[in-house]
Amino acid sequence: MDSPFGFVAELTYRCPLACAYCSNPVNLSDYTDELNTAQWRRVLAEAHELGVLQCHLSGGEPLLRRDLADLVASANDLGLYTNLVTSAIGLSRPRAEQLRAAGLDHVQISIQAHEAALSDQIAGTPSFQRKIEAARIVKELGWPLTLNVVLHRRNIDRIAEVVRCAELLGADRLELANTQYYGWAWRNRAALLPNRAQLERAEEVVRATRARLAGRMDVLYVLPDYYSQYPKPCMGGWGKRQLIVTPNGDVLPCLAAHSLGLPRASVHEESLASIWAGSPVFQRFRGNGWMPDLCRNCDRRDIDFGGCRCQAFQLTGDASRADPVCHLSPDHHIVTDAVRAANETTCAGEALLDLRPHRG
């Protein structure tokens, strides 16, 4: 068993945006009792002792935490590399300078599109201009800047324009990540899943962009699971390299594991080391002993680790089944049916979105 390399601290699920593709839990009321500053400091220290090197401060919107700079300073004192994952709403120059002084290492800003009208529509609130201003502040203060764009039917045809926007902002890294269908995104899958023609055009743009910007900007393109032949390895393997702590102190091996109904592990009751080593939620799908014969006998069992357990549960109701994304899965028809529907749907269906509520 390896030590965890990355640690995602989901400081709050409150957020000023209302993105229809949000993968955070739908039942936000279960996470209102957030860890306080002292508790987060203890968790950070335990993560460091466990071997964590990278700390991703996420949410929701972590800038809504008034103690964010204090938590950054604590992580920095422990020698952790800190990355702020943010919508950038609230990243004013004074707040940015405070975080810079606290030792924040990196900033990742989400943008929804390349221009205000579409971006604000997708985000559910006027926000684009504030994101652009915040990105400029990040570069002026000397941070490396990552722009993250969640791709879906409404914006995937604008990748070239998004790339141009990233270039103008001087982004060091551009993440083009197709939607993962959990939480609100699951509710909106029919309106968000792109069609095959859109994906083919997008991949052509990405190939050309990578060639043109080689050495100047890293461009990461995350393929949509539903169009892949094999599933992706979930978080580098269940309970293998990553752990997540939610706002209320629950500890999870992946971002959507709360949906599986597994026994709860909480920092209120155990240390991170104890949870990592022996808790049922981390042991349940660790290694390959849990795998059905199809996965256990597959040459890819140590490559994709059986695929995503949360996706298997979402699509079949059984987290132990082979991920239906895999073309060898007996449930693969569930995915092909969804893809077929996406390729038959006209743009008229795109208005049917269930927006995540504002919880700022």
Side-chain angles (χ1 to χ4, degrees):
M1 182 179 64
D2 297 318
S3 296
F5 176 82
F7 167 56
V8 180
E10 297 192 312
L11 301 180
T12 180
Y13 284 145
R14 291 173 288 144
C15 184
L17 306 186
C19 303
Y21 58 76
C22 182
S23 60
N24 279 343
V26 173
N27 54 324
L28 296 178
S29 61
D30 291 350
Y31 299 90
T32 55
D33 188 15
E34 299 175 0
L35 297 180
N36 61 35
T37 307
Q39 290 168 326
W40 272 118
R41 282 175 172 158
R42 174 175 61 81
V43 170
L44 288 168
E46 291 181 2
H48 169 64
E49 292 172 2
L50 194 53
V52 164
L53 299 177
Q54 294 184 351
C55 175
H56 304 278
L57 301 160
S58 181
E61 178 45 69
L63 287 167
L64 290 173
R65 292 280 303 218
R66 295 181 179 180
D67 59 355
L68 179 59
D70 292 334
L71 297 179
V72 168
S74 295
N76 185 61
D77 289 344
L78 292 165
L80 299 176
Y81 183 89
T82 50
N83 173 35
L84 177 64
V85 182
T86 177
S87 70
I89 305 303
L91 190 61
S92 63
R93 181 173 287 277
R95 192 78 187 279
E97 290 175 345
Q98 182 187 42
L99 292 169
R100 195 75 172 106
L104 182 68
D105 293 299
H106 183 275
V107 179
Q108 175 180 311
I109 294 177
S110 66
I111 62 172
Q112 282 67 37
H114 68 291
E115 51 88 22
L118 181 58
S119 180
D120 293 349
Q121 182 187 56
I122 294 171
T125 188
S127 54
F128 178 76
Q129 195 54 46
R130 283 181 285 177
K131 290 171 176 286
I132 296 303
E133 291 168 1
R136 289 171 177 153
I137 291 171
V138 166
K139 292 302 296 183
E140 289 168 8
L141 293 181
W143 272 307
L145 171 64
T146 293
L147 292 182
N148 174 270
V149 186
V150 177
L151 299 176
H152 45 80
R153 180 178 289 239
R154 292 191 162 196
N155 65 2
I156 195 168
D157 289 320
R158 306 295 182 86
I159 288 181
E161 292 89 339
V162 167
V163 170
R164 179 58 179 159
C165 179
E167 288 184 83
L168 292 173
L169 291 171
D172 301 280
R173 179 180 173 90
L174 175 62
E175 295 182 352
L176 302 166
N178 277 276
T179 300
Q180 299 292 306
Y181 294 102
Y182 309 109
W184 294 94
W186 172 252
R187 291 188 175 190
N188 291 305
R189 187 184 68 176
L192 295 173
L193 188 63
N195 60 45
R196 196 173 299 278
Q198 287 181 302
L199 287 172
E200 290 173 354
R201 292 193 296 269
E203 290 169 8
E204 183 177 346
V205 172
V206 169
R207 283 194 297 270
T209 297
R210 282 174 167 166
R212 181 171 62 83
L213 296 180
R216 288 189 286 153
M217 182 192 300
D218 291 331
V219 179
L220 174 68
Y221 180 66
V222 180
L223 288 167
D225 284 351
Y226 282 41
Y227 285 90
S228 300
Q229 186 178 20
Y230 297 105
K232 298 180 183 67
C234 178
M235 302 293 287
W238 184 277
K240 187 174 177 66
R241 301 297 287 159
Q242 307 275 347
L243 58 82
I244 294 92
V245 177
T246 67
N248 66 345
D250 288 348
V251 187
L252 302 170
C254 81
L255 294 166
H258 58 83
S259 66
L260 301 184
L262 296 173
R264 181 186 179 200
S266 171
V267 299
H268 292 293
E269 300 166 1
E270 298 180 76
S271 69
L272 279 187
S274 175
I275 292 170
W276 175 262
S279 66
V281 68
F282 276 82
Q283 293 289 357
R284 179 64 182 87
F285 299 112
R286 183 176 266 157
N288 57 25
W290 63 270
M291 291 181 180
D293 290 342
L294 174 68
C295 297
R296 192 182 301 118
N297 297 324
C298 180
D299 291 340
R300 295 182 58 86
R301 64 183 176 276
D302 295 321
I303 298 174
D304 56 37
F305 308 107
C308 178
R309 297 302 86 221
C310 301
Q311 188 158 253
F313 180 77
Q314 188 86 268
L315 294 173
T316 73
D318 183 353
S320 298
R321 292 185 69 81
D323 188 334
V325 161
C326 181
H327 74 289
L328 300 174
S329 166
D331 303 306
H332 186 57
H333 64 91
I334 299 173
V335 171
T336 57
D337 287 348
V339 168
R340 185 181 304 108
N343 283 273
E344 293 172 352
T345 301
T346 64
C347 293
E350 294 178 6
L352 303 176
L353 288 172
D354 185 2
L355 291 181
R356 180 188 192 275
H358 295 272
R359 295 293 291 266

